[in-house]
Amino acid sequence: MQVKIATTEIRNMALFRFIFLLFLSSCIFAVLADVSVENCSDNSTIPTAQMSANIDSLVAELASSTSQNRFSIATYGKGTDKVYGLGQCRGDVNSTDCTNCIQDAAKNIRTNCQNQTDAWLWQNDNCILRFDDDQFFGKVDPSSFANLYNNDHPQHPSAFKKQLDALISKVSSEAVVPANEGLGRGKSFSVASNATIYALTQCTRDLSRRSCSDCLNIAIGNFSKFCNNEKTVGCRVLYGSCYVRYEIYPFYYPLDS
Ligand SMILES: *[C@@H]1O[C@H](CO)[C@@H](O)[C@H](O)[C@H]1NC(C)=O
Ligand SMILES: *[C@@H]1O[C@H](CO)[C@@H](O)[C@H](O)[C@H]1NC(C)=O
Ligand SMILES: *[C@@H]1O[C@H](CO)[C@@H](O)[C@H](O)[C@H]1NC(C)=O
Ligand SMILES: *[C@@H]1O[C@H](CO)[C@@H](O)[C@H](O)[C@H]1NC(C)=O
Ligand SMILES: *[C@@H]1O[C@H](CO)[C@@H](O)[C@H](O)[C@H]1NC(C)=O
Ligand SMILES: *[C@@H]1O[C@H](CO)[C@@H](O)[C@H](O)[C@H]1NC(C)=O
């Protein structure tokens, strides 16, 4: 499934997509799975055929090296036609799924963001592919994000919020530990909320510990804005440098960890 987003239309789009899925879903709660979100910068038309060729080469190189190493950064070309790129799989996704994901992303990003010099794509929640004609490694860009949320309310909102805040904080502090390569995940149950919450945070591996923390804090700090005032049992926020998601069902791998 594929959404094309413009930053200003994201929230409406998220709502639309949710409603759409609600009709299809026969579960107790609506499950919004396998979403691909991309950010093609509208004002960045590729100026030369050389740069376009460089982007093709860069994307091919990233698809190949990310399949092998789960994470890669690369540059391609010279002078004003030089381009920078990054590929990464979510840390809990196995290598078969990683390879499939990054190969799909490589196909889709060039089709969907044809004329753009900068773009990122989170493919099916499992991997990210990104390129830009500006050097972006290690930098957090909060201007470009997407958010998706579920319209179901928690049974006990204030207890749920308290539990969620504690879990997200724990999971984020795991993500910034260098050995964890940007990944944090975990679950918690609370009697007061009558809910089990599952949460996952992932930074791109070009970020320092500090920048990873900044990126996650920007996402989490805006939960009230991005996640229906936190009156929702599931939400995800995606940036070019980090990903934050929580649900009341297991969505990460392995499912029982
Ligand atoms: C992007 O393009 C729109 C119109 O296509 C224009 O109004 C806007 O100012 C441009 N933004 C930038 C940052 O260049
Ligand atoms: C990888 O994970 C998927 C679940 O997304 C699973 O179906 C598949 O069997 C796993 N492959 C391996 C080799 O573990
Ligand atoms: C990309 O640019 C080409 C020529 O510059 C144009 O014909 C084409 O319609 C553009 N595609 C998109 C998706 O904007
Ligand atoms: C995402 O979209 C916004 C708004 O169009 C733009 O300013 C930003 O540069 C884009 N980022 C990427 C990585 O394409
Ligand atoms: C907990 O939730 C379940 C279903 O989600 C419900 O059947 C049960 O009554 C709830 N228990 C309490 C104490 O709210
Ligand atoms: C919310 O996001 C904006 C950018 O979208 C960022 O500048 C701001 O710092 C964030 N707010 C918090 C409280 O993190």
Side-chain angles (χ1 to χ4, degrees), residues 107 186 250:
K107 264 181 253 147

Side-chain angles (χ1 to χ4, degrees), residues 142 145 217-218 221-222 225 239:
F145 64 89
N217 286 335
I218 288 169
N222 282 312
K225 196 163 63 179
Y239 287 91

Side-chain angles (χ1 to χ4, degrees), residues 2-250:
Q2 198 81 30
V3 221
K4 204 158 197 165
I5 53 162
T7 314
T8 48
E9 286 167 12
I10 289 164
R11 251 159 293 166
N12 293 339
M13 185 59 93
L15 199 58
F16 167 75
R17 289 177 50 71
F18 171 75
I19 291 164
F20 176 66
L21 277 155
L22 195 59
F23 287 121
L24 300 179
S25 172
S26 56
C27 307
I28 297 167
F29 40 77
V31 174
L32 187 61
D34 284 357
V35 177
S36 295
V37 177
E38 73 207 8
N39 182 250
C40 311
S41 177
D42 286 340
N43 288 357
S44 64
T45 309
I46 297 175
T48 63
Q50 183 60 58
M51 186 186 281
S52 186
N54 290 348
I55 294 173
D56 283 334
S57 304
L58 178 76
V59 166
E61 190 177 319
L62 288 169
S64 155
S65 49
T66 307
S67 293
Q68 284 162 33
N69 306 320
R70 308 184 58 82
F71 165 69
S72 61
I73 54 173
T75 58
Y76 209 93
K78 287 190 290 229
T80 51
D81 292 324
K82 188 168 180 177
V83 285
Y84 304 80
L86 176 151
Q88 183 176 326
C89 290
R90 221 172 70 184
D92 58 315
V93 168
N94 68 32
S95 40
T96 313
D97 284 358
C98 176
T99 299
N100 292 335
C101 183
I102 207 74
Q103 284 173 356
D104 288 345
K107 264 181 253 147
N108 294 335
I109 202 166
R110 286 298 272 148
T111 313
N112 302 341
C113 305
Q114 253 175 39
N115 287 342
Q116 273 70 39
T117 57
D118 57 323
W120 57 256
L121 166 66
W122 273 101
Q123 175 76 38
N124 292 343
D125 286 306
N126 281 350
C127 66
I128 181 169
L129 189 62
R130 184 176 175 189
F131 62 79
D132 204 315
D133 62 337
D134 287 323
Q135 215 279 47
F136 64 86
F137 304 145
K139 295 177 193 160
V140 175
D141 172 14
S143 71
S144 138
F145 64 89
N147 63 314
L148 304 162
Y149 60 81
N150 184 316
N151 268 349
D152 292 350
H153 296 284
Q155 286 175 11
H156 307 285
S158 62
F160 189 90
K161 181 177 174 353
K162 197 172 155 199
Q163 179 189 354
L164 176 64
D165 289 348
L167 177 63
I168 288 278
S169 159
K170 178 172 164 285
V171 164
S172 302
S173 62
E174 218 180 89
V176 301
V177 174
N180 293 334
E181 300 179 337
L183 175 71
R185 75 197 140 141
K187 65 176 179 182
S188 77
F189 172 75
S190 135
V191 173
S193 75
N194 192 26
T196 300
I197 310 178
Y198 300 79
L200 180 142
T201 55
Q202 177 74 64
C203 290
T204 54
R205 286 165 61 184
D206 58 315
L207 297 190
S208 65
R209 184 177 186 140
R210 171 71 194 273
S211 298
C212 175
S213 169
D214 287 348
C215 191
L216 296 175
N217 286 335
I218 288 169
I220 295 158
N222 282 312
F223 261 11
S224 58
K225 196 163 63 179
F226 294 155
C227 302
N228 196 21
N229 278 318
E230 300 187 63
K231 291 194 187 72
T232 170
V233 294
C235 181
R236 71 196 86 166
V237 183
L238 305 92
Y239 287 91
S241 302
C242 68
Y243 173 103
V244 180
R245 180 175 177 189
Y246 70 86
E247 305 285 355
I248 53 168
Y249 58 87

